[in-house]
Every structure is written in structure tokens, then in C-alpha cells.
């Protein structure tokens, strides 16, 4: 690593540059529960070899179970 002296002018290469900002995250997709359930009360989602059940309760809430 080169040693900087107070008597030498700094070259642009010796001045550390700030790291570039991280890339902006991609916004999440929005899908309505009505579009997913398509009038049904339950939907089965297959993910990595497992099945998950998305159910619409009588109170209008969603429950996801394995």
C-alpha cells in the first residue's frame, strides 16, 4: 500500500471513492384475493414440493396453512 506524505499533492487515484448505492429493489406484485380465489373459498398453492392451503374464512379473513 503506498504511503501518503503531507508534502505530496493527492492524486485522484489515491482518494477513496464512495461505494455505489445498492440497486433499487423491484416492487412486489399486487394480486387481489378475489383474483386468486376466483369465487372459491380455498386455493392450493404448490411450493417446492409442498402444498399450502389459502382459505377464506366466514369472517372474510385469509388463512394460509401447510
Amino acid at each position: 500500500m503506498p504511503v501518503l506524505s503531507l508534502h505530496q499533492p493527492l492524486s485522484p487515484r489515491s482518494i477513496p471513492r464512495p461505494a455505489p448505492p445498492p440497486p433499487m429493489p423491484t416492487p412486489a406484485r399486487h394480486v387481489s384475493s378475489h383474483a386468486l380465489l376466483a369465487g372459491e373459498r380455498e386455493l392450493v398453492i404448490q411450493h417446492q414440493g409442498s402444498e399450502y392451503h389459502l382459505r377464506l374464512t366466514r369472517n372474510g379473513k385469509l388463512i394460509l396453512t401447510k
Side-chain angles (χ1 to χ4, degrees):
M1 178 177 223
V3 177
L4 296 178
S5 168
L6 295 177
H7 302 289
Q8 294 175 336
L10 292 175
S11 70
R13 290 177 38 162
S14 63
I15 300 172
R17 294 184 182 178
M24 295 296 293
T26 305
R29 283 188 323 154
H30 290 196
V31 180
S32 75
S33 60
H34 297 287
L36 281 176
L37 294 168
E40 301 292 326
R41 301 211 50 97
E42 185 171 358
L43 170 70
V44 178
I45 301 169
Q46 295 177 339
H47 177 69
Q48 296 181 350
S50 296
E51 287 189 351
Y52 295 83
H53 297 259
L54 182 65
R55 283 183 274 143
L56 180 62
T57 68
R58 283 182 236 145
N59 294 332
K61 299 191 183 224
L62 293 175
I63 298 178
L64 181 65
T65 57
K66 189 169 182 180

Short mmCIF file of all heavy atoms in Angstrom, two decimals:
data_model
loop_
_atom_site.label_atom_id
_atom_site.label_comp_id
_atom_site.label_asym_id
_atom_site.label_seq_id
_atom_site.Cartn_x
_atom_site.Cartn_y
_atom_site.Cartn_z
N MET A 1 0.87 -1.18 0.00
CA MET A 1 0.00 0.00 0.00
C MET A 1 0.91 1.24 0.00
O MET A 1 1.81 1.33 0.83
CB MET A 1 -0.90 -0.04 1.23
CG MET A 1 -1.79 1.14 1.35
SD MET A 1 -2.86 0.96 2.78
CE MET A 1 -4.35 1.51 2.08
N PRO A 2 0.69 2.21 -0.87
CA PRO A 2 1.55 3.38 -0.92
C PRO A 2 1.35 4.26 0.31
O PRO A 2 0.27 4.34 0.86
CB PRO A 2 1.11 4.11 -2.19
CG PRO A 2 -0.22 3.58 -2.52
CD PRO A 2 -0.31 2.21 -1.91
N VAL A 3 2.41 4.89 0.74
CA VAL A 3 2.37 5.80 1.89
C VAL A 3 2.19 7.21 1.36
O VAL A 3 2.89 7.64 0.45
CB VAL A 3 3.68 5.69 2.69
CG1 VAL A 3 3.67 6.67 3.84
CG2 VAL A 3 3.88 4.27 3.20
N LEU A 4 1.23 7.92 1.93
CA LEU A 4 0.98 9.29 1.51
C LEU A 4 1.77 10.24 2.40
O LEU A 4 1.86 10.08 3.61
CB LEU A 4 -0.51 9.62 1.62
CG LEU A 4 -1.44 8.83 0.71
CD1 LEU A 4 -2.88 9.24 0.98
CD2 LEU A 4 -1.10 9.06 -0.73
N SER A 5 2.35 11.22 1.80
CA SER A 5 3.10 12.23 2.53
C SER A 5 2.31 13.52 2.52
O SER A 5 1.59 13.83 1.56
CB SER A 5 4.45 12.43 1.85
OG SER A 5 5.08 13.60 2.36
N LEU A 6 2.43 14.30 3.57
CA LEU A 6 1.74 15.58 3.61
C LEU A 6 2.34 16.57 2.63
O LEU A 6 1.74 17.58 2.31
CB LEU A 6 1.79 16.15 5.03
CG LEU A 6 1.06 15.35 6.09
CD1 LEU A 6 1.26 15.98 7.46
CD2 LEU A 6 -0.42 15.25 5.77
N HIS A 7 3.53 16.29 2.15
CA HIS A 7 4.21 17.19 1.23
C HIS A 7 3.89 16.89 -0.23
O HIS A 7 4.26 17.65 -1.10
CB HIS A 7 5.73 17.14 1.46
CG HIS A 7 6.11 17.48 2.86
ND1 HIS A 7 6.00 18.75 3.37
CD2 HIS A 7 6.56 16.71 3.88
CE1 HIS A 7 6.38 18.75 4.65
NE2 HIS A 7 6.72 17.51 4.98
N GLN A 8 3.22 15.78 -0.47
CA GLN A 8 2.87 15.42 -1.85
C GLN A 8 1.40 15.73 -2.10
O GLN A 8 0.55 15.44 -1.25
CB GLN A 8 3.10 13.93 -2.10
CG GLN A 8 4.54 13.50 -2.03
CD GLN A 8 4.64 11.98 -2.17
OE1 GLN A 8 3.71 11.27 -1.90
NE2 GLN A 8 5.81 11.54 -2.61
N PRO A 9 1.08 16.31 -3.24
CA PRO A 9 -0.34 16.53 -3.54
C PRO A 9 -1.03 15.18 -3.78
O PRO A 9 -0.41 14.25 -4.26
CB PRO A 9 -0.32 17.37 -4.81
CG PRO A 9 1.02 17.16 -5.41
CD PRO A 9 1.96 16.80 -4.28
N LEU A 10 -2.29 15.10 -3.40
CA LEU A 10 -3.07 13.88 -3.61
C LEU A 10 -3.45 13.75 -5.07
O LEU A 10 -3.92 14.70 -5.68
CB LEU A 10 -4.33 13.89 -2.74
CG LEU A 10 -4.11 13.80 -1.24
CD1 LEU A 10 -5.45 13.94 -0.53
CD2 LEU A 10 -3.46 12.49 -0.87
N SER A 11 -3.27 12.58 -5.60
CA SER A 11 -3.72 12.33 -6.97
C SER A 11 -5.15 11.80 -6.90
O SER A 11 -5.56 11.24 -5.88
CB SER A 11 -2.81 11.32 -7.66
OG SER A 11 -2.99 10.05 -7.10
N PRO A 12 -5.93 11.99 -7.96
CA PRO A 12 -7.31 11.50 -7.94
C PRO A 12 -7.40 10.00 -7.66
O PRO A 12 -8.38 9.53 -7.11
CB PRO A 12 -7.84 11.83 -9.33
CG PRO A 12 -6.95 12.93 -9.83
CD PRO A 12 -5.62 12.71 -9.17
N ARG A 13 -6.38 9.24 -8.01
CA ARG A 13 -6.41 7.79 -7.78
C ARG A 13 -6.21 7.44 -6.32
O ARG A 13 -6.60 6.37 -5.88
CB ARG A 13 -5.34 7.11 -8.62
CG ARG A 13 -5.68 7.14 -10.09
CD ARG A 13 -4.63 6.53 -10.92
NE ARG A 13 -4.01 5.36 -10.31
CZ ARG A 13 -3.32 4.47 -10.95
NH1 ARG A 13 -3.13 4.60 -12.24
NH2 ARG A 13 -2.78 3.45 -10.34
N SER A 14 -5.59 8.31 -5.52
CA SER A 14 -5.32 7.99 -4.12
C SER A 14 -6.48 8.38 -3.21
O SER A 14 -6.49 8.01 -2.04
CB SER A 14 -4.05 8.69 -3.66
OG SER A 14 -4.20 10.09 -3.72
N ILE A 15 -7.47 9.09 -3.71
CA ILE A 15 -8.62 9.49 -2.91
C ILE A 15 -9.67 8.38 -3.01
O ILE A 15 -10.10 8.03 -4.11
CB ILE A 15 -9.22 10.83 -3.40
CG1 ILE A 15 -8.17 11.93 -3.30
CG2 ILE A 15 -10.47 11.18 -2.60
CD1 ILE A 15 -8.59 13.24 -3.92
N PRO A 16 -10.06 7.78 -1.88
CA PRO A 16 -11.06 6.71 -1.96
C PRO A 16 -12.41 7.24 -2.43
O PRO A 16 -12.83 8.33 -2.06
CB PRO A 16 -11.15 6.18 -0.52
CG PRO A 16 -10.48 7.19 0.34
CD PRO A 16 -9.62 8.06 -0.53
N ARG A 17 -13.04 6.47 -3.26
CA ARG A 17 -14.37 6.85 -3.78
C ARG A 17 -15.44 6.13 -2.99
O ARG A 17 -15.25 4.98 -2.59
CB ARG A 17 -14.47 6.47 -5.25
CG ARG A 17 -13.54 7.25 -6.12
CD ARG A 17 -13.74 6.92 -7.55
NE ARG A 17 -12.78 7.67 -8.36
CZ ARG A 17 -12.67 7.56 -9.65
NH1 ARG A 17 -13.44 6.73 -10.31
NH2 ARG A 17 -11.79 8.28 -10.31
N PRO A 18 -16.56 6.78 -2.78
CA PRO A 18 -17.64 6.10 -2.06
C PRO A 18 -18.19 4.95 -2.90
O PRO A 18 -18.15 4.97 -4.13
CB PRO A 18 -18.70 7.19 -1.86
CG PRO A 18 -18.37 8.25 -2.87
CD PRO A 18 -16.90 8.15 -3.16
N ALA A 19 -18.67 3.94 -2.21
CA ALA A 19 -19.25 2.78 -2.90
C ALA A 19 -20.52 3.22 -3.62
O ALA A 19 -21.25 4.10 -3.14
CB ALA A 19 -19.56 1.69 -1.90
N PRO A 20 -20.83 2.61 -4.76
CA PRO A 20 -22.07 2.97 -5.45
C PRO A 20 -23.27 2.53 -4.62
O PRO A 20 -23.18 1.57 -3.85
CB PRO A 20 -21.98 2.19 -6.77
CG PRO A 20 -21.02 1.08 -6.51
CD PRO A 20 -20.08 1.58 -5.46
N PRO A 21 -24.39 3.22 -4.76
CA PRO A 21 -25.57 2.84 -3.98
C PRO A 21 -26.07 1.46 -4.42
O PRO A 21 -25.88 1.06 -5.57
CB PRO A 21 -26.59 3.93 -4.31
CG PRO A 21 -26.14 4.50 -5.61
CD PRO A 21 -24.65 4.34 -5.65
N PRO A 22 -26.70 0.71 -3.51
CA PRO A 22 -27.23 -0.60 -3.90
C PRO A 22 -28.36 -0.43 -4.90
O PRO A 22 -29.03 0.62 -4.94
CB PRO A 22 -27.74 -1.19 -2.58
CG PRO A 22 -27.95 -0.01 -1.69
CD PRO A 22 -26.98 1.04 -2.13
N PRO A 23 -28.61 -1.45 -5.73
CA PRO A 23 -29.69 -1.33 -6.71
C PRO A 23 -31.04 -1.23 -6.01
O PRO A 23 -31.24 -1.76 -4.92
CB PRO A 23 -29.60 -2.62 -7.53
CG PRO A 23 -28.80 -3.56 -6.69
CD PRO A 23 -27.93 -2.73 -5.80
N MET A 24 -31.96 -0.52 -6.64
CA MET A 24 -33.30 -0.36 -6.08
C MET A 24 -34.04 -1.70 -6.14
O MET A 24 -33.99 -2.38 -7.16
CB MET A 24 -34.09 0.70 -6.87
CG MET A 24 -33.52 2.10 -6.75
SD MET A 24 -33.57 2.75 -5.07
CE MET A 24 -35.30 2.91 -4.84
N PRO A 25 -34.73 -2.10 -5.05
CA PRO A 25 -35.47 -3.35 -5.09
C PRO A 25 -36.65 -3.25 -6.05
O PRO A 25 -37.24 -2.18 -6.23
CB PRO A 25 -35.95 -3.54 -3.65
CG PRO A 25 -35.91 -2.18 -3.05
CD PRO A 25 -34.84 -1.41 -3.78
N THR A 26 -36.98 -4.37 -6.65
CA THR A 26 -38.13 -4.42 -7.55
C THR A 26 -39.40 -4.42 -6.71
O THR A 26 -39.48 -5.18 -5.74
CB THR A 26 -38.08 -5.71 -8.40
OG1 THR A 26 -36.82 -5.77 -9.06
CG2 THR A 26 -39.19 -5.75 -9.42
N PRO A 27 -40.37 -3.58 -7.03
CA PRO A 27 -41.60 -3.56 -6.23
C PRO A 27 -42.33 -4.91 -6.33
O PRO A 27 -42.32 -5.56 -7.36
CB PRO A 27 -42.44 -2.43 -6.83
CG PRO A 27 -41.74 -1.99 -8.06
CD PRO A 27 -40.40 -2.62 -8.11
N ALA A 28 -42.95 -5.31 -5.23
CA ALA A 28 -43.70 -6.57 -5.20
C ALA A 28 -44.96 -6.45 -6.04
O ALA A 28 -45.57 -5.38 -6.13
CB ALA A 28 -44.07 -6.91 -3.76
N ARG A 29 -45.34 -7.57 -6.65
CA ARG A 29 -46.61 -7.58 -7.41
C ARG A 29 -47.78 -7.56 -6.45
O ARG A 29 -47.71 -8.13 -5.37
CB ARG A 29 -46.72 -8.89 -8.23
CG ARG A 29 -45.91 -8.92 -9.45
CD ARG A 29 -46.22 -10.13 -10.32
NE ARG A 29 -46.48 -11.33 -9.52
CZ ARG A 29 -47.22 -12.34 -9.94
NH1 ARG A 29 -47.76 -12.33 -11.12
NH2 ARG A 29 -47.41 -13.39 -9.17
N HIS A 30 -48.83 -6.92 -6.83
CA HIS A 30 -50.07 -6.90 -6.05
C HIS A 30 -51.12 -7.70 -6.79
O HIS A 30 -51.38 -7.45 -7.97
CB HIS A 30 -50.56 -5.47 -5.84
CG HIS A 30 -49.70 -4.68 -4.91
ND1 HIS A 30 -50.10 -3.52 -4.33
CD2 HIS A 30 -48.46 -4.89 -4.45
CE1 HIS A 30 -49.14 -3.05 -3.56
NE2 HIS A 30 -48.14 -3.88 -3.63
N VAL A 31 -51.71 -8.68 -6.10
CA VAL A 31 -52.77 -9.52 -6.67
C VAL A 31 -53.90 -9.53 -5.67
O VAL A 31 -53.70 -9.82 -4.49
CB VAL A 31 -52.26 -10.96 -6.93
CG1 VAL A 31 -53.36 -11.82 -7.52
CG2 VAL A 31 -51.04 -10.96 -7.83
N SER A 32 -55.12 -9.28 -6.13
CA SER A 32 -56.25 -9.28 -5.20
C SER A 32 -56.61 -10.71 -4.82
O SER A 32 -56.43 -11.65 -5.60
CB SER A 32 -57.46 -8.59 -5.83
OG SER A 32 -58.06 -9.41 -6.80
N SER A 33 -57.10 -10.87 -3.61
CA SER A 33 -57.52 -12.20 -3.16
C SER A 33 -58.68 -12.72 -4.01
O SER A 33 -58.79 -13.92 -4.25
CB SER A 33 -57.91 -12.17 -1.69
OG SER A 33 -58.98 -11.26 -1.48
N HIS A 34 -59.50 -11.80 -4.51
CA HIS A 34 -60.61 -12.22 -5.36
C HIS A 34 -60.09 -12.84 -6.67
O HIS A 34 -60.63 -13.83 -7.14
CB HIS A 34 -61.54 -11.04 -5.67
CG HIS A 34 -62.19 -10.48 -4.45
ND1 HIS A 34 -63.20 -11.13 -3.77
CD2 HIS A 34 -61.96 -9.33 -3.76
CE1 HIS A 34 -63.57 -10.41 -2.73
NE2 HIS A 34 -62.82 -9.31 -2.69
N ALA A 35 -59.03 -12.27 -7.21
CA ALA A 35 -58.44 -12.83 -8.44
C ALA A 35 -57.81 -14.19 -8.16
O ALA A 35 -57.90 -15.10 -8.98
CB ALA A 35 -57.40 -11.86 -9.01
N LEU A 36 -57.17 -14.35 -7.00
CA LEU A 36 -56.55 -15.63 -6.67
C LEU A 36 -57.59 -16.72 -6.41
O LEU A 36 -57.46 -17.83 -6.91
CB LEU A 36 -55.69 -15.50 -5.41
CG LEU A 36 -54.32 -14.88 -5.56
CD1 LEU A 36 -53.67 -14.73 -4.19
CD2 LEU A 36 -53.45 -15.72 -6.46
N LEU A 37 -58.61 -16.40 -5.63
CA LEU A 37 -59.60 -17.41 -5.25
C LEU A 37 -60.64 -17.66 -6.33
O LEU A 37 -61.26 -18.72 -6.36
CB LEU A 37 -60.27 -17.02 -3.94
CG LEU A 37 -59.34 -17.01 -2.72
CD1 LEU A 37 -60.00 -16.34 -1.53
CD2 LEU A 37 -58.91 -18.42 -2.37
N ALA A 38 -60.85 -16.70 -7.21
CA ALA A 38 -61.79 -16.83 -8.34
C ALA A 38 -63.15 -17.39 -7.90
O ALA A 38 -63.67 -18.34 -8.49
CB ALA A 38 -61.17 -17.70 -9.43
N GLY A 39 -63.69 -16.82 -6.83
CA GLY A 39 -65.03 -17.22 -6.39
C GLY A 39 -65.05 -18.43 -5.48
O GLY A 39 -66.10 -18.80 -4.96
N GLU A 40 -63.94 -19.09 -5.29
CA GLU A 40 -63.86 -20.26 -4.40
C GLU A 40 -63.47 -19.80 -2.99
O GLU A 40 -63.10 -18.66 -2.78
CB GLU A 40 -62.82 -21.26 -4.93
CG GLU A 40 -63.09 -21.76 -6.33
CD GLU A 40 -64.32 -22.65 -6.41
OE1 GLU A 40 -64.59 -23.38 -5.44
OE2 GLU A 40 -65.01 -22.60 -7.43
N ARG A 41 -63.53 -20.72 -2.03
CA ARG A 41 -63.15 -20.40 -0.65
C ARG A 41 -61.78 -20.94 -0.29
O ARG A 41 -61.25 -20.62 0.78
CB ARG A 41 -64.20 -20.94 0.32
CG ARG A 41 -65.56 -20.33 -0.01
CD ARG A 41 -66.50 -20.14 1.11
NE ARG A 41 -66.07 -19.48 2.30
CZ ARG A 41 -66.25 -18.19 2.57
NH1 ARG A 41 -66.80 -17.41 1.68
NH2 ARG A 41 -65.88 -17.69 3.72
N GLU A 42 -61.19 -21.75 -1.17
CA GLU A 42 -59.88 -22.32 -0.87
C GLU A 42 -59.06 -22.44 -2.15
O GLU A 42 -59.59 -22.71 -3.23
CB GLU A 42 -60.02 -23.69 -0.22
CG GLU A 42 -58.70 -24.28 0.21
CD GLU A 42 -58.86 -25.54 1.05
OE1 GLU A 42 -60.01 -25.93 1.34
OE2 GLU A 42 -57.84 -26.11 1.43
N LEU A 43 -57.76 -22.23 -2.00
CA LEU A 43 -56.80 -22.33 -3.10
C LEU A 43 -55.62 -23.15 -2.61
O LEU A 43 -55.14 -22.95 -1.49
CB LEU A 43 -56.33 -20.93 -3.50
CG LEU A 43 -55.16 -20.82 -4.46
CD1 LEU A 43 -55.57 -21.28 -5.85
CD2 LEU A 43 -54.64 -19.41 -4.50
N VAL A 44 -55.15 -24.11 -3.42
CA VAL A 44 -53.98 -24.90 -3.06
C VAL A 44 -52.79 -24.34 -3.84
O VAL A 44 -52.84 -24.20 -5.06
CB VAL A 44 -54.19 -26.40 -3.39
CG1 VAL A 44 -52.92 -27.19 -3.06
CG2 VAL A 44 -55.39 -26.95 -2.63
N ILE A 45 -51.73 -24.01 -3.11
CA ILE A 45 -50.51 -23.46 -3.70
C ILE A 45 -49.42 -24.51 -3.57
O ILE A 45 -49.16 -24.99 -2.46
CB ILE A 45 -50.09 -22.16 -2.98
CG1 ILE A 45 -51.21 -21.12 -3.07
CG2 ILE A 45 -48.79 -21.62 -3.57
CD1 ILE A 45 -50.98 -19.91 -2.17
N GLN A 46 -48.80 -24.87 -4.67
CA GLN A 46 -47.68 -25.82 -4.64
C GLN A 46 -46.39 -25.02 -4.62
O GLN A 46 -46.18 -24.17 -5.48
CB GLN A 46 -47.73 -26.75 -5.84
CG GLN A 46 -48.95 -27.64 -5.84
CD GLN A 46 -49.03 -28.52 -7.06
OE1 GLN A 46 -48.43 -28.23 -8.09
NE2 GLN A 46 -49.77 -29.59 -6.95
N HIS A 47 -45.54 -25.34 -3.63
CA HIS A 47 -44.26 -24.61 -3.48
C HIS A 47 -43.20 -25.58 -3.01
O HIS A 47 -43.32 -26.17 -1.92
CB HIS A 47 -44.43 -23.46 -2.48
CG HIS A 47 -43.17 -22.71 -2.21
ND1 HIS A 47 -42.57 -21.92 -3.15
CD2 HIS A 47 -42.39 -22.65 -1.10
CE1 HIS A 47 -41.48 -21.39 -2.63
NE2 HIS A 47 -41.34 -21.82 -1.39
N GLN A 48 -42.17 -25.77 -3.82
CA GLN A 48 -41.03 -26.63 -3.50
C GLN A 48 -41.46 -28.01 -3.00
O GLN A 48 -40.98 -28.51 -2.00
CB GLN A 48 -40.12 -25.95 -2.48
CG GLN A 48 -39.48 -24.68 -3.00
CD GLN A 48 -38.55 -24.03 -1.99
OE1 GLN A 48 -38.51 -24.42 -0.83
NE2 GLN A 48 -37.81 -23.03 -2.45
N GLY A 49 -42.40 -28.59 -3.70
CA GLY A 49 -42.84 -29.95 -3.39
C GLY A 49 -43.86 -30.05 -2.27
O GLY A 49 -44.28 -31.15 -1.92
N SER A 50 -44.26 -28.96 -1.67
CA SER A 50 -45.26 -28.96 -0.60
C SER A 50 -46.51 -28.25 -1.07
O SER A 50 -46.47 -27.42 -1.98
CB SER A 50 -44.72 -28.26 0.65
OG SER A 50 -43.62 -28.95 1.18
N GLU A 51 -47.64 -28.59 -0.44
CA GLU A 51 -48.91 -27.92 -0.74
C GLU A 51 -49.29 -27.03 0.43
O GLU A 51 -49.20 -27.42 1.59
CB GLU A 51 -50.01 -28.95 -0.98
CG GLU A 51 -49.88 -29.65 -2.30
CD GLU A 51 -51.09 -30.50 -2.62
OE1 GLU A 51 -51.98 -30.69 -1.75
OE2 GLU A 51 -51.16 -30.97 -3.77
N TYR A 52 -49.70 -25.83 0.11
CA TYR A 52 -50.19 -24.86 1.08
C TYR A 52 -51.63 -24.52 0.72
O TYR A 52 -51.97 -24.40 -0.46
CB TYR A 52 -49.34 -23.59 1.06
CG TYR A 52 -47.92 -23.84 1.51
CD1 TYR A 52 -46.97 -24.32 0.62
CD2 TYR A 52 -47.54 -23.58 2.82
CE1 TYR A 52 -45.66 -24.55 1.02
CE2 TYR A 52 -46.22 -23.80 3.23
CZ TYR A 52 -45.30 -24.29 2.32
OH TYR A 52 -44.01 -24.53 2.72
N HIS A 53 -52.48 -24.37 1.72
CA HIS A 53 -53.90 -24.08 1.51
C HIS A 53 -54.18 -22.64 1.95
O HIS A 53 -53.94 -22.28 3.10
CB HIS A 53 -54.77 -25.06 2.29
CG HIS A 53 -54.60 -26.47 1.84
ND1 HIS A 53 -55.50 -27.08 1.01
CD2 HIS A 53 -53.61 -27.37 2.07
CE1 HIS A 53 -55.07 -28.32 0.76
NE2 HIS A 53 -53.92 -28.51 1.40
N LEU A 54 -54.68 -21.86 1.03
CA LEU A 54 -55.12 -20.50 1.33
C LEU A 54 -56.63 -20.53 1.42
O LEU A 54 -57.31 -20.84 0.43
CB LEU A 54 -54.66 -19.53 0.23
CG LEU A 54 -55.02 -18.06 0.45
CD1 LEU A 54 -54.29 -17.49 1.66
CD2 LEU A 54 -54.71 -17.25 -0.79
N ARG A 55 -57.16 -20.28 2.62
CA ARG A 55 -58.60 -20.36 2.83
C ARG A 55 -59.18 -19.02 3.22
O ARG A 55 -58.56 -18.25 3.95
CB ARG A 55 -58.91 -21.37 3.93
CG ARG A 55 -58.79 -22.80 3.45
CD ARG A 55 -59.17 -23.78 4.52
NE ARG A 55 -57.96 -24.02 5.32
CZ ARG A 55 -57.96 -24.20 6.63
NH1 ARG A 55 -59.06 -24.16 7.32
NH2 ARG A 55 -56.83 -24.40 7.26
N LEU A 56 -60.38 -18.77 2.73
CA LEU A 56 -61.16 -17.59 3.08
C LEU A 56 -62.14 -17.99 4.17
O LEU A 56 -62.97 -18.89 3.97
CB LEU A 56 -61.91 -17.05 1.85
CG LEU A 56 -62.76 -15.82 2.04
CD1 LEU A 56 -61.92 -14.62 2.47
CD2 LEU A 56 -63.52 -15.51 0.76
N THR A 57 -62.05 -17.36 5.35
CA THR A 57 -62.94 -17.72 6.46
C THR A 57 -64.31 -17.07 6.30
O THR A 57 -64.51 -16.21 5.45
CB THR A 57 -62.33 -17.27 7.81
OG1 THR A 57 -62.34 -15.84 7.86
CG2 THR A 57 -60.93 -17.81 7.99
N ARG A 58 -65.21 -17.49 7.16
CA ARG A 58 -66.56 -16.89 7.15
C ARG A 58 -66.51 -15.41 7.50
O ARG A 58 -67.38 -14.64 7.11
CB ARG A 58 -67.46 -17.60 8.16
CG ARG A 58 -67.94 -18.94 7.68
CD ARG A 58 -68.87 -19.57 8.70
NE ARG A 58 -68.29 -20.87 9.03
CZ ARG A 58 -68.33 -21.44 10.20
NH1 ARG A 58 -68.92 -20.85 11.22
NH2 ARG A 58 -67.77 -22.60 10.40
N ASN A 59 -65.49 -15.01 8.25
CA ASN A 59 -65.33 -13.60 8.64
C ASN A 59 -64.59 -12.79 7.60
O ASN A 59 -64.27 -11.62 7.84
CB ASN A 59 -64.60 -13.51 9.98
CG ASN A 59 -65.39 -14.09 11.11
OD1 ASN A 59 -66.61 -14.10 11.07
ND2 ASN A 59 -64.71 -14.61 12.12
N GLY A 60 -64.25 -13.40 6.46
CA GLY A 60 -63.59 -12.67 5.38
C GLY A 60 -62.08 -12.54 5.55
O GLY A 60 -61.46 -11.73 4.88
N LYS A 61 -61.50 -13.35 6.44
CA LYS A 61 -60.05 -13.31 6.64
C LYS A 61 -59.40 -14.46 5.88
O LYS A 61 -60.04 -15.46 5.56
CB LYS A 61 -59.71 -13.40 8.13
CG LYS A 61 -60.32 -12.24 8.90
CD LYS A 61 -59.80 -12.17 10.29
CE LYS A 61 -60.52 -11.04 10.98
NZ LYS A 61 -59.68 -10.22 11.74
N LEU A 62 -58.10 -14.29 5.59
CA LEU A 62 -57.35 -15.33 4.87
C LEU A 62 -56.47 -16.08 5.84
O LEU A 62 -55.84 -15.49 6.72
CB LEU A 62 -56.47 -14.69 3.79
CG LEU A 62 -57.21 -14.03 2.63
CD1 LEU A 62 -56.20 -13.34 1.71
CD2 LEU A 62 -58.00 -15.06 1.85
N ILE A 63 -56.42 -17.40 5.67
CA ILE A 63 -55.55 -18.26 6.47
C ILE A 63 -54.73 -19.10 5.50
O ILE A 63 -55.29 -19.75 4.61
CB ILE A 63 -56.36 -19.17 7.42
CG1 ILE A 63 -57.15 -18.34 8.40
CG2 ILE A 63 -55.45 -20.16 8.14
CD1 ILE A 63 -58.03 -19.15 9.34
N LEU A 64 -53.40 -19.12 5.72
CA LEU A 64 -52.50 -19.94 4.91
C LEU A 64 -51.95 -21.04 5.81
O LEU A 64 -51.33 -20.76 6.84
CB LEU A 64 -51.36 -19.10 4.34
CG LEU A 64 -50.35 -19.84 3.46
CD1 LEU A 64 -51.01 -20.36 2.19
CD2 LEU A 64 -49.17 -18.94 3.13
N THR A 65 -52.20 -22.30 5.44
CA THR A 65 -51.70 -23.44 6.22
C THR A 65 -50.99 -24.41 5.31
O THR A 65 -51.20 -24.42 4.09
CB THR A 65 -52.85 -24.19 6.92
OG1 THR A 65 -53.81 -24.61 5.94
CG2 THR A 65 -53.53 -23.32 7.96
N LYS A 66 -50.11 -25.21 5.92
CA LYS A 66 -49.37 -26.21 5.16
C LYS A 66 -50.14 -27.51 5.19
O LYS A 66 -50.80 -27.86 6.09
CB LYS A 66 -47.97 -26.39 5.75
CG LYS A 66 -47.10 -27.24 4.88
CD LYS A 66 -45.66 -27.17 5.34
CE LYS A 66 -44.81 -28.01 4.41
NZ LYS A 66 -43.44 -28.02 4.77
#
